[in-house]
Amino acid sequence: PVCVTRGLVDVSGWKSRFASLPEGFWKDENQTGNVKLIRPAHDAWGIEKIVFTFCDDFLQRVYDLPYSQHPDWKPLLTSVYSALQINEGKVVRSLLASMPAGVKIPVHHDTGYWVRHTHRVHVAIETGEEVEFWVGTSADNMQQVYIP
């Protein structure tokens, strides 16, 4: 299977944290104390982000950015890793993505050595019936997955 449910996570803490963020926080320049990371495709698609952990394409270096250890974010990250039984030391990429209404991610394939050697986990914090999430190994066999 291309997509499976690994578990359920209580996202109420995340929602409370989001509600407390100042206007414009999702923009790189407003995240003081963290490291700015450019993701060319995602940035061009209009996806804003908060990055916690990131690896290079070859899995040679994994960077825990300052927000990964920040007391406002660490317990929230730990709650996800624990609920999904993921050892934090094995996490090579961890970030939040904000997709404003109308943003569409085109069919694409993640690239890099890391893709073949890791699993990607998506945790929906806020979603709805109008949100479509599609996965597949090629554009011809995409399957829609509903995340309540």
Side-chain angles (χ1 to χ4, degrees):
V2 177
C3 187
V4 297
T5 299
R6 285 195 59 155
L8 300 177
V9 177
D10 178 2
V11 297
S12 59
W14 286 100
K15 288 183 178 187
S16 294
R17 178 72 179 122
F18 294 158
S20 72
L21 295 176
E23 184 75 28
F25 186 84
W26 287 86
K27 300 200 177 301
D28 290 331
E29 60 270 13
N30 296 330
Q31 295 177 32
T32 56
N34 206 22
V35 174
K36 180 179 178 179
L37 187 81
I38 296 170
R39 300 187 74 206
H42 293 82
D43 294 347
W45 296 329
I47 301 168
E48 296 175 334
K49 70 218 173 270
I50 301 171
V51 184
F52 302 105
T53 303
F54 211 77
C55 70
D56 64 35
D57 280 350
F58 301 101
L59 275 177
Q60 296 298 304
R61 291 190 176 89
V62 177
Y63 302 96
D64 268 326
L65 304 184
Y67 280 6
S68 73
Q69 302 303 316
H70 192 282
D72 289 341
W73 295 109
K74 177 80 173 177
L76 298 171
L77 292 167
T78 300
S79 73
V80 171
Y81 302 153
S82 295
L84 301 177
Q85 300 178 6
I86 298 170
N87 178 327
E88 183 180 353
K90 299 287 186 181
V91 174
V92 298
R93 291 194 175 186
S94 177
L95 60 101
L96 296 170
S98 175
M99 296 177 50
V103 168
K104 294 183 181 194
I105 299 176
V107 173
H108 68 283
H109 292 280
D110 291 340
T111 60
Y113 178 83
W114 73 275
V115 173
R116 289 175 289 166
H117 299 280
T118 64
H119 297 283
R120 271 145 295 167
V121 176
H122 293 77
V123 178
I125 306 293
E126 290 188 35
T127 188
E129 291 183 20
E130 68 282 1
V131 175
E132 294 182 9
F133 182 67
W134 293 78
V135 296
T137 56
S138 71
D140 297 336
N141 73 356
M142 300 293 281
Q143 300 170 19
Q144 186 174 7
V145 177
Y146 177 66
I147 303 174

